[in-house]
Amino acid sequence: MAEAQDLKTLLLETNDEYRQLASQHHDLDERLVVLESKHYLSDQEQVEEVTLKKRKLQLKDRMEAI
């Protein structure tokens, strides 16, 4: 587990693409926190939530591929 964290840290410091993906992943996560904190989501917000979760998974998959 520590090795994986060390690798993530190294990639964040040395790989521009990984750093950009991580930043995007973090931004999507912040937006999801906002949506999930609401008691009620409009239809549009529900679609946005699903879309954000899918995009977040795509980013994570790409980061793991690197």
Side-chain angles (χ1 to χ4, degrees):
M1 192 68 164
E3 291 175 7
Q5 189 58 44
D6 291 344
L7 180 57
K8 288 179 186 179
T9 300
L10 178 63
L11 285 169
L12 284 170
E13 293 172 357
T14 61
N15 187 299
D16 287 338
E17 181 184 6
Y18 189 89
R19 189 171 31 253
Q20 289 172 354
L21 293 169
S23 177
Q24 291 173 20
H25 188 273
H26 178 74
D27 292 345
L28 293 176
D29 196 45
E30 286 183 344
R31 178 63 183 149
L32 281 169
V33 168
V34 170
L35 288 174
E36 291 170 353
S37 70
K38 295 184 174 189
H39 294 291
Y40 173 80
L41 295 179
S42 68
D43 290 343
Q44 182 178 353
E45 288 171 329
Q46 289 175 10
V47 170
E48 179 184 7
E49 180 182 34
V50 170
T51 303
L52 291 175
K53 286 180 179 181
K54 287 179 183 178
R55 180 68 181 131
K56 207 173 129 186
L57 283 173
Q58 291 171 340
L59 290 170
K60 184 175 181 182
D61 288 347
R62 179 66 187 128
M63 289 166 64
E64 289 183 10
I66 292 174

